[in-house]
Amino acid sequence: MILTEEQTLIRDTARQFAAEKLAPFAAERDQACEVPRSVIEEMGGLGLLGVTVDPDWGGAGADHIGYVLALEAIAGGDGGVSTIMSLTNSPVGAILETYGTKEQKERY
């Protein structure tokens, strides 16, 4: 499969984040049974918590291939964090974008 420039950028960004911020501390997070808020906030800043969500609502506006590439990269660094990412993207982001009111979209 030949990836688009955007898909490659998303994948590489997620890989770098996973290698630098997730993998070195995955065991510690697992032992503590918690993920620091700063990790989640940084992922949000990188667009990883709303990969397919329209930019008008704060998402990255990427396609589902980009989302899967990013999710796979994050899972390589920390499986628990990838679960958080998948929940914010798939059920939450997709449902809000499709069925949410304007007020809900603005809030979340």
Side-chain angles (χ1 to χ4, degrees), residues 51-68:
V51 178
T52 63
V53 174
D54 189 298
D56 289 342
W57 300 114
D63 64 13
H64 285 85
I65 299 294
Y67 165 58
V68 170

Side-chain angles (χ1 to χ4, degrees), residues 16-92:
Q16 182 177 357
F17 179 79
E20 293 176 5
K21 306 287 177 126
L22 298 180
F25 310 103
E28 292 173 29
R29 283 189 299 276
D30 191 45
Q31 290 284 332
C33 297
E34 72 177 276
V35 177
R37 185 177 186 93
S38 61
V39 170
I40 304 304
E41 289 172 350
E42 190 168 353
M43 288 177 69
L46 292 171
L48 296 172
L49 300 182
V51 178
T52 63
V53 174
D54 189 298
D56 289 342
W57 300 114
D63 64 13
H64 285 85
I65 299 294
Y67 165 58
V68 170
L69 292 166
L71 186 60
E72 181 179 49
I74 295 301
D78 188 321
V81 173
S82 73
T83 301
I84 294 168
M85 179 182 162
S86 70
L87 290 172
T88 63
N89 277 279
S90 297
V92 176

